[in-house]
Amino acid sequence: MTIAVGDRIPEATMKVYKDAPQDVSSTEELGKGKVVLFAVPGAFTPTCSNKHLPGYVQHMDDFTQRGVKVYCLSVNDAFVMHAWGKERGIPEAMHLLADGNADFTRALGLELDGTKNGMGIRAKRFAMYIVDGVVKVLNVEAPGEFRVSAAEAMLEAVDA
């Protein structure tokens, strides 16, 4: 079942990279305050690297001024996410979440089967606005699309 507006964020363990991979709880990371979580099918992939992530980097100050923490999720390991963040020059205020086994992505019901393309299980391209652990806005892209999960769309959602 796919998570919906009004649902609480499910509990799952993911990884962040801080000198080494470290476990983090989805409810501890995403369950307090105002959060925008956006997911990309894969670090270093074209749309993710050239459009999706850069939009959030460009608008990071706009989110911070609104008191919103920004997290990027991908079904990649913590080493890949760390390398991607360094290569793309993400600001310290942005947090990269590695969901290497897709546990959190599956708990959300937002997994994408990319096995026919040699990519295994990935996250659909989506973004959500979460307040105190409750989903207020959920924008899931149609296959091949990139509109509703963009930074600009989520800034509008935060301001609504």
Side-chain angles (χ1 to χ4, degrees):
M1 191 159 95
T2 303
I3 195 163
V5 170
D7 290 348
R8 294 197 71 72
I9 291 296
E11 175 59 41
T13 300
M14 294 175 283
K15 301 264 187 204
V16 294
Y17 189 94
K18 294 180 182 173
D19 298 321
Q22 297 177 8
D23 287 348
V24 294
S25 158
S26 58
T27 54
E28 288 179 25
E29 288 293 313
L30 307 172
K32 298 175 188 100
K34 297 188 276 185
V35 173
V36 165
L37 170 68
F38 72 100
V40 297
F44 293 105
T45 57
T47 300
C48 303
S49 290
N50 299 327
K51 294 181 182 177
H52 210 170
L53 181 68
Y56 282 91
V57 170
Q58 177 185 349
H59 290 289
M60 196 62 220
D61 288 342
D62 298 323
F63 287 106
T64 301
Q65 289 170 1
R66 289 164 172 81
V68 177
K69 295 179 279 185
V70 176
Y71 288 81
C72 175
L73 170 76
S74 186
V75 179
N76 288 114
D77 65 61
F79 295 105
V80 168
M81 293 299 283
H82 178 68
W84 189 46
K86 282 181 66 172
E87 192 265 342
R88 302 310 302 183
I90 68 155
E92 269 190 46
M94 185 182 292
H95 310 280
L96 300 178
L97 296 172
D99 188 21
N101 295 325
D103 295 333
F104 182 61
T105 301
R106 283 187 178 106
L108 294 172
L110 292 169
E111 67 273 16
L112 166 72
D113 185 353
T115 53
K116 72 177 181 178
N117 297 318
M119 295 178 72
I121 299 299
R122 297 295 177 117
K124 291 180 180 179
R125 186 178 308 282
F126 70 85
M128 62 175 72
Y129 179 46
I130 307 160
V131 178
D132 294 328
V134 177
V135 177
K136 299 297 183 184
V137 174
L138 174 61
N139 294 340
V140 181
E141 298 286 0
E145 297 264 325
F146 173 64
R147 283 182 318 104
V148 298
S149 66
E152 296 81 3
M154 292 313 293
L155 278 169
E156 286 181 25
V158 166
D159 288 340

